[in-house]
């Protein structure tokens, strides 16, 4: 792989609740822990903890909105995650093609016996 994979970033994205939160924030253009908890099957406190993880890896940024914090997705960081995923996918595609060629060569060798 040419691009380095950020394990903390992928650990954060690896959680299905956090991925759903990112989806909601992208669709709605942002949100608070309260607004997100109304759309998810977890408590507001759990949402706040998930937002903290996403904030630490730079996927979301918070601004004060009255007594709450409003979160928005950092699209540049999200694009970085997508690029990493594409790079990992391309590397695995290449590995699978090599495995297929080896398996086909082995099969041809057996067929010739």
């Amino acid at each position: 792989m040419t691009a380095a994979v950020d394990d903390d970033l992928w650990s954060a994205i690896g959680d299905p609740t956090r991925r759903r939160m990112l989806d909601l924030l992208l669709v709605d253009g942002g949100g608070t822990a309260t607004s997100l908890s109304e759309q998810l099957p977890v408590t507001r406190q759990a949402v706040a903890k998930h937002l903290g993880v996403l904030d630490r890896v730079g996927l979301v940024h918070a601004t004060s909105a009255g007594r709450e914090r409003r979160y928005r997705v950092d699209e540049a960081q999200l694009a970085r995650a997508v690029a990493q995923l594409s790079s990992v996918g391309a590397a695995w595609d290449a590995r699978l093609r090599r495995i297929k060629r080896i398996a086909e060569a082995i099969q041809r060798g057996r067929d010739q016996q």
Side-chain angles (χ1 to χ4, degrees):
M1 273 182 295
T2 56
V5 175
D6 183 334
D7 290 333
D8 291 335
L9 177 65
W10 283 102
S11 178
I13 293 174
D15 184 275
T17 299
R18 289 192 283 264
R19 286 194 307 271
R20 178 70 179 128
M21 289 171 60
L22 288 170
D23 288 341
L24 292 169
L25 291 171
L26 284 166
V27 167
D28 297 341
T32 64
T34 301
S35 68
L36 290 169
S37 68
E38 292 168 354
Q39 300 177 71
L40 296 166
V42 294
T43 65
R44 185 200 172 288
Q45 291 78 14
V47 168
K49 287 182 181 183
H50 284 299
L51 286 167
V53 171
L54 293 172
D55 189 38
R56 277 192 296 283
V57 298
L59 281 167
V60 298
H61 296 292
T63 55
S64 293
R67 294 181 356 167
E68 289 197 292
R69 296 176 59 78
R70 183 161 181 79
Y71 292 86
R72 295 182 67 84
V73 173
D74 182 317
E75 293 185 19
Q77 184 72 329
L78 185 59
R80 181 173 162 250
V82 169
Q84 286 182 15
L85 180 59
S86 294
S87 175
V88 169
W92 274 103
D93 285 346
R95 288 179 184 126
L96 291 172
R97 283 191 298 274
R98 284 194 301 272
I99 290 169
K100 181 180 179 192
R101 284 193 301 270
I102 291 168
E104 288 170 343
I106 290 169
Q107 187 61 45
R108 280 192 303 273
R110 287 182 182 160
D111 291 345
Q112 294 175 356
Q113 292 179 353

